[in-house]
Amino acid sequence: ISFFLKDVGKVELHCEKNNTAHNTNDISVNRLIVRRGQSFLVTFDFHGPFRSTTDLLELTVETGPQPSEALGTRSVFGLPEGRWKRSSWKVKVHQGSGLPAGSITLDITSPADAPVGEYSLSVKTNATASVGSSLGKLLLLFNPWCQEDSVHLPEEEERQEYVMREQGLVYKGSEKYIGSMAWDFGQFEDDIVDICLKLLDVNPKCLSDPAKDFSARCNPIYVSRVVSAMINANDDRGVLMGRWDGQYDGGMSPTHWNGSVEVLRRWLKYGGNPVKYGQCWVFAAVMCTVLRCLGIPCRVVTNFQSAHDTDKNLTIDNFFSDYGVRPKKSPDSVWNYHVWVEAWMTRPDLSAGSLYDGWQAVDPTPQEKSTGVYCCGPAPVKAILQGHVDLKYDVPFVFAEVNADLVTWMVFADGSKKKISTDSVSVGQNISTKAVGSDKRVDITANYKHAEGTEKERAVYNQAVKRVNIPEDNSNGIHDGKPGVSMKIVELTKPISGKDIDLKLVLNNNDSVTRKLVINVNVQAMRYNGIPSSQIQTELKEQKLLPNQGRVKMFQSLSISRPTMFK
């Protein structure tokens, strides 16, 4: 793009060349889109010779309402260089620029911690002029290629995967039957970058204090937290409305979507009203699109057997009546799978060193409020691994998602209850994401927790319990010796939608005495988020087990008409 100014002459913004150098040419080559902490070129053709050591060239960049140098949303800089030593933005004459001919090419560099967003750029060549001549707009994005940027990602292969790649995979299903679906992130499609900036502009924090919000956009911690809140529409003008009851009147089933672009464009088209409907994988994939577009490295992560801990006690409490049915919906639940994103950034707010830098779990699905808003994270994955649940943001919730203990209670007719068992192993299985550079699945469970059944895993869990000030269960879910009677349900046929499934119940008497049992077999269908859907089968049977005897009980065939989980 080039144009003429009265006092300067021709100005060339080198959009195609600059955008290519800044890895933004996939977004556009017709407007200036650059990354912070990296220089870009602007060429001025003057009416006469320009002397860079004596002649004045003053540039001003501004973003947001009430731009301020104190807030980092305004900077005045130029030539001669010594005149603006304190300016945050810098400029120097590009090597090889042809000054004698009246043409000068400048290297302009923003600070590596500048707020991201749209800037106006203006120029003055007359010290007495009250305002400069506009050079137009530029977009400034986060820069994973810049070592000084807090989102710097060292490996080029990973930058290509987590910033530049527009297609990917989202994992769904269950821990034993993991499936994947293709997803078109489309972060470089026409108008997506403008929609992402619009999303920031209508967030409640910006509406209440725009000057402060625009200034805070220098920080990926802040930006990712805002985006997490704005992807869901629970308490703001967010993108997606969630629904889990199977009723999708007035909108689309969450399974309709296979890309983010249609969702974001619909949100903009209908004036910021939420798109209907989404569930966890849609929320996460759309958020991945927004963060990659803004320049924050991001990947979609699926946790199988994912706990939803409502009371922050790091346990999931399941209540059953003495005849095997859940008498009421428990506020806690375990989902077949749950999907969130990880965003790459430093965490100087938590440690002077780099202890918690790297991948941060961020979850846009509206589950629980965080500081009064439906958002979650960024929670350092390294903190989750170490059980440091007293850190920002929402580390206890994510820790419980991957490592909560399952406690089963029997509820009697008089309302009393008895703890039946504690399962410290099942939650958090096969945590998965797409591999770098291929469509293979990578298991990243070890990033979140130590191997189940190890002393280290239990030590971390107990430390986490202490950090959230919960009285410790001295049993730790571990019982000495075998239980008197053990039970296990085994699949005889692979679950396929629309087909029958055969199961067997294996009973073992581990005692040296005969056991007389009353067995309540109760089969309930459950949605993937752990909410009971319908009753399928109930059977009552008496059984005698001799000492150290095993017995197999066959279930009748069960028909599966839609994806469910069985309990």
Side-chain angles (χ1 to χ4, degrees):
I1 294 178
S2 61
F3 48 91
F4 289 86
L5 297 178
K6 180 179 179 181
D7 296 334
V8 178
K10 183 181 178 182
V11 179
E12 173 62 59
L13 297 181
H14 302 289
C15 292
E16 184 171 1
K17 184 175 183 179
N18 283 323
N19 292 8
T20 300
H22 286 247
N23 297 285
T24 62
N25 55 307
D26 284 343
I27 303 176
S28 175
V29 293
N30 297 316
R31 58 195 293 201
L32 187 57
I33 307 174
V34 295
R35 299 188 184 275
R36 61 187 195 173
Q38 181 177 340
S39 66
F40 60 94
L41 303 176
V42 177
T43 298
F44 297 90
D45 286 344
F46 293 95
H47 299 304
F50 182 85
R51 296 170 294 275
S52 62
T53 56
T54 58
D55 291 347
L56 174 71
L57 182 68
E58 180 182 292
L59 297 162
T60 302
V61 290
E62 296 179 331
T63 185
Q66 305 168 5
S68 160
E69 289 183 279
L71 291 175
T73 52
R74 184 175 189 267
S75 182
V76 181
F77 58 103
L79 297 174
E81 293 181 47
R83 183 168 177 169
W84 286 277
K85 290 183 178 180
R86 296 185 178 181
S87 297
S88 58
W89 287 59
K90 303 296 181 182
V91 62
K92 64 180 181 179
V93 178
H94 182 65
Q95 186 176 3
S97 180
L99 289 177
S103 175
I104 181 173
T105 298
L106 303 179
D107 287 323
I108 299 175
T109 307
S110 68
D113 61 353
V116 299
E118 184 178 68
Y119 284 76
S120 63
L121 176 63
S122 60
V123 61
K124 283 199 307 182
T125 58
N126 186 338
T128 62
S130 58
V131 294
S133 300
S134 174
L135 297 180
K137 304 288 186 180
L138 68 90
L139 296 185
L140 187 68
L141 304 178
F142 290 103
N143 193 353
W145 285 264
C146 175
Q147 290 189 3
E148 289 74 34
D149 197 309
S150 52
V151 302
H152 174 244
L153 191 59
E155 299 298 328
E156 175 62 20
E157 191 177 17
E158 292 188 344
R159 292 193 290 257
Q160 291 299 318
E161 180 69 45
Y162 300 133
V163 181
M164 302 300 293
R165 189 175 299 278
E166 295 189 76
Q167 289 79 36
L169 297 174
V170 178
Y171 294 98
K172 299 169 64 178
S174 64
E175 58 176 312
K176 294 182 180 178
Y177 303 103
I178 298 174
S180 65
M181 66 174 294
W183 193 271
D184 181 15
F185 296 110
Q187 67 266 32
F188 302 137
E189 291 290 320
D190 292 343
D191 69 11
I192 294 299
V193 68
D194 297 305
I195 296 174
C196 294
L197 295 178
K198 177 71 173 179
L199 195 69
L200 299 181
D201 291 345
V202 299
N203 92 82
K205 292 181 179 180
C206 184
L207 298 178
S208 64
D209 191 344
K212 183 178 180 181
D213 175 83
F214 271 78
S215 176
R217 295 181 191 182
C218 64
N219 188 347
I221 301 169
Y222 177 85
V223 171
S224 64
R225 194 158 170 80
V226 165
V227 174
S228 171
M230 287 300 298
I231 295 299
N232 71 74
N234 279 43
D235 40 23
D236 48 42
R237 296 174 60 191
V239 174
L240 277 161
M241 181 179 294
R243 193 150 193 174
W244 286 266
D245 60 4
Q247 305 299 315
Y248 306 119
D249 296 340
M252 298 289 188
S253 166
T255 58
H256 165 80
W257 313 109
N258 59 11
S260 305
V261 174
E262 183 183 0
V263 174
L264 290 167
R265 285 177 176 167
R266 283 194 182 205
W267 175 76
L268 183 69
K269 179 180 178 180
Y270 295 110
N273 289 311
V275 178
K276 302 176 181 178
Y277 294 98
Q279 290 181 6
C280 64
W281 71 91
V282 187
F283 287 109
V286 173
M287 182 169 184
C288 185
T289 292
V290 174
L291 293 188
R292 287 185 182 182
C293 183
L294 295 175
I296 299 176
C298 185
R299 63 187 185 184
V300 177
V301 170
T302 303
N303 177 40
F304 294 94
Q305 290 295 98
S306 186
H308 180 173
D309 178 21
T310 60
D311 51 11
K312 300 180 181 179
N313 66 350
L314 307 186
T315 66
I316 302 301
D317 298 301
N318 287 319
F319 300 94
F320 292 89
S321 67
D322 54 3
Y323 53 91
V325 178
R326 289 192 176 189
K328 62 179 181 178
K329 177 185 174 183
S330 171
D332 291 346
S333 58
V334 177
W335 299 30
N336 270 18
Y337 65 92
H338 182 54
V339 186
W340 59 75
V341 303
E342 289 179 353
W344 181 274
M345 65 191 72
T346 60
R347 291 303 300 269
D349 58 320
L350 301 181
S351 170
S354 57
L355 185 59
Y356 302 109
D357 295 352
W359 290 117
Q360 315 286 317
V362 194
D363 191 349
T365 299
Q367 299 181 89
E368 301 294 327
K369 286 189 174 182
S370 174
T371 61
V373 178
Y374 279 103
C375 65
C376 180
V381 173
K382 291 178 180 177
I384 298 164
L385 176 65
Q386 298 172 56
H388 296 176
V389 295
D390 50 348
L391 300 175
K392 298 183 294 185
Y393 289 90
D394 309 303
V395 178
F397 185 80
V398 184
F399 180 91
E401 286 184 303
V402 301
N403 208 19
D405 281 359
L406 295 178
V407 180
T408 301
W409 301 83
M410 182 177 289
V411 180
F412 298 96
D414 62 0
S416 62
K417 62 183 181 180
K418 176 184 178 181
K419 182 190 282 191
I420 301 300
S421 65
T422 299
D423 176 357
S424 61
V425 175
S426 295
V427 166
Q429 301 292 320
N430 299 328
I431 304 174
S432 303
T433 192
K434 178 186 171 299
V436 172
S438 78
D439 287 342
K440 294 181 180 179
R441 182 182 69 88
V442 176
D443 191 310
I444 58 171
T445 308
N447 292 355
Y448 282 85
K449 61 179 181 179
H450 299 279
E452 294 287 2
T454 63
E455 292 184 2
K456 182 66 174 177
E457 184 276 331
R458 279 294 90 185
V460 168
Y461 180 86
N462 291 333
Q463 179 187 170
V465 168
K466 290 177 180 178
R467 286 188 178 230
V468 292
N469 298 315
I470 300 171
E472 186 175 340
D473 181 356
N474 292 326
S475 71
N476 296 326
I478 301 173
H479 303 279
D480 294 332
K482 293 182 179 180
V485 176
S486 62
M487 295 173 284
K488 182 179 181 181
I489 295 176
V490 178
E491 295 175 357
L492 298 180
T493 58
K494 183 177 180 180
I496 300 175
S497 182
K499 303 291 185 180
D500 289 349
I501 179 174
D502 292 318
L503 307 172
K504 69 179 179 181
L505 173 63
V506 180
L507 304 172
N508 282 291
N509 181 5
N510 303 311
D511 281 347
S512 57
V513 297
T514 298
R515 291 275 190 169
K516 292 183 179 180
L517 307 177
V518 177
I519 306 168
N520 280 296
V521 177
N522 212 287
V523 184
Q524 290 176 282
M526 305 184 74
R527 301 188 186 280
Y528 87 96
N529 58 355
I531 297 175
S533 174
S534 60
Q535 191 77 13
I536 294 178
Q537 180 177 330
T538 301
E539 184 177 340
L540 181 66
K541 185 177 179 65
E542 294 185 359
Q543 180 73 54
K544 180 186 289 187
L545 286 180
L546 298 176
N548 301 306
Q549 181 191 34
R551 182 64 61 90
V552 174
K553 164 64 182 171
M554 301 297 296
F555 281 76
Q556 296 177 1
S557 294
L558 305 173
S559 179
I560 304 176
S561 60
R562 62 180 182 274
T564 56
M565 64 180 286
F566 289 103
K567 193 69 178 180

